Structures are given as C-alpha cells and as structure tokens.
Amino acid sequence: MIKSSTDLGQTKAFDVICFSHLRWDFVFQRPQHLMTRFASNGRVFVIEEPVPHNGESFIEVSDRGENLFVCLPHISEGDSDWMPELVERLVSERGLENYVAWFYTPMMLGWASQLAPNAVVYDCMDQLSAFKNAPPELMERERQLFEKADVVFTGGKSLYEAKKGEHQNVHAFPSSIDVQHFSQALEITDDLPEQAQIGRPRIGFVGVIDERTDIDLLGAIADLRPEWNYIMVGPVVKISEEDLPRRSNIHYLGQRSYDQLPAILAGWDAAMMPFALNESTRYISPTKTPEYLAAGLAVVSTPITDVVDPYGKLGLVHIATTPEEFVNALQSALNEDAGARREAARKFLSQNSWDETFVRMNELIARVIDRDAELADQAAQAAA
C-alpha cells in the first residue's frame, strides 16, 4: 500500500507527465514504484509508446485511481509527428499547469516540445543504448535530454559514475524496496499449486528473461545439480523461447503479478540472479536483489557491479561466475544461518525504501522549481 504524502513527510505537490517506454501493466518495477508515490502528491499521467490505429489519432486515458492515469496513444499510419500536439492537448484538457515532465527514455523527448513544465526530470534507470534492438539515434537523443533536464537520477551507482560528467545535477538512486510487501513471504506457509509438485530444494529467479539472462549458465547449473529445481518466473522478451535451456529440473512459470510475488518467493529455498556479463548488464541495479532479501531468501548472483557493491561486500549476497562456483555458492547459501542473514538484511533494507527514495527525489525537484520561481521573481522585479 502506498502511503499518503503526510505519512511520507513534507513533500512538494505537483503533477507529473511521465514518458515511459515500459508498459505500465508489464512488470511492476521502478517507474511503477515511483509514479504511484508521486501520485500521492498530485496527478500522474504515464504516457506509453503508441499502438497503430485505423482512424483519427488520439490518446486513450485509463484512470487507475488515486491520481494515476495511464495514457496509451493510438496513432494512425503516418501520424507519428502528431505526438507533441496530442500530448499538449492532453495537458490542456486536464488543466495541467503546475507539472513536471519526467522521462524514462530519451526517444520521447520530442513529444514534450510544446510543453512548458516547471522542471524536466530524466530518470536514467538503465543504459538503454546497450540493450538489444536499441534505436541508433538513442545516444544523440539522450545528449539532447541532458541539455533539457533540470535534474538527472540514475538507477544505480555504476550508472551514476558513467553519467555524472554529462550533467551538473546528477544523483544516484539504486533500486529500493517495499519491505512490507515482500516480507509477507516470511509469514506465508501455503504452497502455490504451480509450485506444489516441484521438489526441493527450489532455487528461483523472478524478472524479465531477456538478453541479460545467462541462459548457458542456467543450463549448466541445472546439469551440475540435477537433484535441485530451478524456477524461472517472468516473461521472455527479445530472445527466442526455443533458445531457453530445457531440463526436467528447470521450470518456467511465466509472468506473475506483483501481488503474487511474496507467495511465490515463500515457496523457494534460495534465489538466484544468473545475469550475463555483457554491455546490457554493465550498469544494471537489479530491483530483485533487495526484494529477495526482504523475502528472507539467500541469494547467489553473478558479479554485477551494483550487486557486488554493496550486497556482496556486506555478505548479503553470494557472488559467483562459473557454473561450478555458482552451484557451490548455492550450496553455501542453502546451509547458512537464515536468522543471522535475515537480521543483517533487515538492518540494511530499513534505509533503502521506495518511500525514502520518493521523498529525496521530491526534494531535489522542489529545489529546481523553487530556484526557477525565485529567478523569475527577480527578473520581474528588475523589469518593473
């Protein structure tokens, strides 16, 4: 449950127009966590990528309650240049005046060309140019967004190091956690039907299965420990399902809702993050790391920079590279003192909530808005 602005402390109120390449109803992740919290202080309009349409172009607005609106553009063939006008029309019809333009992708920058936001925010959660099928013009668009942005947030420390020289107001906000939601797993004892027939130990992964997943590593660890069961929860994207390793002890359960995750995690004995070590994972800060820990699970991951530091260095996550190292680390994880691990995780996660991230981001945006308002007042007084 998202807390009210009163519960979260003194925060500045404004509306948000969020431009996102990630579908709202796909996987509940960083944009959803943040935008639901910003909706506690004002209206939030999440504008998604368009879908083709036969007829006049328009934006379908879906009211999700509690000040949150998901906006799906329906664009006729050849009308892609109409997006700035459609967005401006949305702003006018909804009476938006005190608002912020928030970007998750530079590719949508042009859509805001007719807007006059109080501030421009770039939440750079990933190095999108390194992802499979990234548009060739993305890097140039990002350069333009850096010029327009008043404040830049990054999805992790390593991404901050890569971007801090591109803008004068960059701040690192690694993946946070809704502890209350995921700690429900500690109290759940009933096994889900889809997992009830799977033997133990169960070692699971939840997230998008794509080019960031080391499918060769997954197949190898399944072969090394055929008596263990590996559970993969999440949609398969940008890679062929035919390429996935198929073993009797690898179980693909498909996508599950955010609300279902605690019950799924409650049925595991350990969690894994078999990420490939490539350009697409160089700067990632996996949200699932703190989620696994809040659910009380031991975790093994490949050496992703933002997992090694801080989680690996603090002994909260086991780090392994080769298949042999990975299964050995999993064995250690299965044998470790669960009580001590959970207490250490609890202390760390208490300082790493999405609520706190929202408050800190709101404060940084408020500084920009207040600074610009003060400069405008000074200019008006000088002209009087």
Side-chain angles (χ1 to χ4, degrees):
M1 183 180 72
I2 304 305
K3 299 179 181 178
S4 69
S5 57
T6 301
D7 295 330
L8 296 173
Q10 295 298 318
T11 50
K12 192 175 187 68
F14 47 79
D15 296 327
V16 177
I17 304 172
C18 174
F19 298 88
S20 178
H21 59 294
L22 299 169
R23 297 287 181 201
W24 185 263
D25 295 321
F26 179 47
V27 175
F28 201 95
Q29 51 190 310
R30 183 184 180 98
Q32 287 85 347
H33 280 294
L34 291 173
M35 290 302 108
T36 50
R37 285 164 173 79
F38 274 95
S40 68
N41 268 12
R43 291 173 295 172
V44 172
F45 294 83
V46 179
I47 301 180
E48 300 184 322
E49 291 187 334
V51 294
H53 171 67
N54 292 324
E56 184 177 351
S57 298
F58 70 100
I59 294 181
E60 176 187 2
V61 180
S62 173
D63 186 346
R64 301 304 178 88
E66 299 184 358
N67 281 336
L68 181 67
F69 304 86
V70 176
C71 307
L72 177 62
H74 295 253
I75 302 297
S76 298
E77 185 176 356
D79 280 359
S80 58
D81 292 340
W82 282 33
M83 279 306 304
E85 181 178 334
L86 290 174
V87 172
E88 193 280 331
R89 188 184 306 169
L90 173 70
V91 168
S92 177
E93 291 174 350
R94 296 288 172 159
L96 297 175
E97 295 180 356
N98 175 31
Y99 66 92
V100 167
W102 184 298
F103 291 89
Y104 276 106
T105 172
M107 297 304 295
M108 294 181 177
L109 177 60
W111 296 6
S113 60
Q114 298 184 25
L115 304 185
N118 290 352
V120 175
V121 178
Y122 178 25
D123 189 11
C124 182
M125 63 180 283
D126 287 306
Q127 182 75 312
L128 294 179
S129 60
F131 282 18
K132 189 175 182 179
N133 302 326
E137 64 271 29
L138 194 149
M139 294 185 69
E140 172 58 23
R141 295 284 180 86
E142 183 175 71
R143 185 192 65 78
Q144 295 170 7
L145 181 52
F146 274 126
E147 292 180 354
K148 294 281 188 181
D150 294 293
V151 59
V152 176
F153 306 135
T154 66
K157 293 181 180 179
S158 60
L159 195 54
Y160 167 79
E161 293 297 329
K163 302 296 184 183
K164 65 181 181 180
E166 305 294 328
H167 196 274
Q168 74 281 3
N169 193 18
V170 183
H171 305 269
F173 285 96
S175 294
S176 301
I177 176 66
D178 183 346
V179 172
Q180 182 178 359
H181 181 71
F182 284 94
S183 63
Q184 293 177 83
L186 297 170
E187 306 298 328
I188 297 173
T189 57
D190 293 337
D191 215 349
L192 292 178
E194 56 264 49
Q195 294 189 143
Q197 303 305 314
I198 299 176
R200 292 182 181 274
R202 300 173 189 160
I203 299 144
F205 168 88
V206 60
V208 179
I209 303 169
D210 57 15
E211 76 273 20
R212 294 170 295 176
T213 309
D214 191 336
I215 56 178
D216 292 333
L217 175 62
L218 176 60
I221 62 176
D223 290 337
L224 285 171
R225 290 293 187 277
E227 71 278 16
W228 294 354
N229 285 279
Y230 303 87
I231 299 174
M232 302 292 288
V233 177
V236 179
V237 178
K238 293 188 289 185
I239 62 174
S240 172
E241 293 206 18
E242 296 178 355
D243 293 333
L244 297 177
R246 301 292 176 176
R247 309 285 194 276
S248 61
N249 61 337
I250 302 179
H251 310 270
Y252 298 96
L253 301 188
Q255 186 170 351
R256 293 294 186 270
S257 72
Y258 183 71
D259 288 341
Q260 292 175 307
L261 295 184
I264 290 173
L265 300 183
W268 295 355
D269 299 294
M272 62 179 175
M273 297 194 293
F275 286 114
L277 302 178
N278 55 34
E279 281 301 306
S280 67
T281 61
R282 184 178 178 185
Y283 299 111
I284 64 172
S285 176
T287 306
K288 57 189 58 61
T289 316
E291 293 174 350
Y292 289 156
L293 293 173
L297 291 167
V299 186
V300 177
S301 174
T302 49
I304 299 300
T305 301
D306 284 9
V307 177
V308 173
D309 186 6
Y311 299 99
K313 290 184 177 180
L314 292 174
L316 296 173
V317 173
H318 299 261
I319 305 298
T321 302
T322 67
E324 291 76 15
E325 290 173 350
F326 211 92
V327 294
N328 288 337
L330 281 170
Q331 185 67 72
S332 297
L334 291 168
N335 293 336
E336 69 186 14
D337 184 338
R341 181 192 66 248
R342 290 174 180 176
E343 178 59 20
R346 185 194 64 77
K347 291 180 180 179
F348 176 80
L349 297 176
S350 66
Q351 307 298 319
N352 195 34
S353 72
W354 284 115
D355 290 340
E356 178 62 25
T357 295
F358 157 71
V359 171
R360 290 165 56 204
M361 285 181 167
N362 182 282
E363 179 182 355
L364 290 167
I365 297 169
R367 290 179 188 174
V368 170
I369 295 174
D370 292 343
R371 178 203 65 197
D372 289 349
E374 182 179 350
L375 290 175
D377 288 343
Q378 292 174 357
Q381 292 174 8

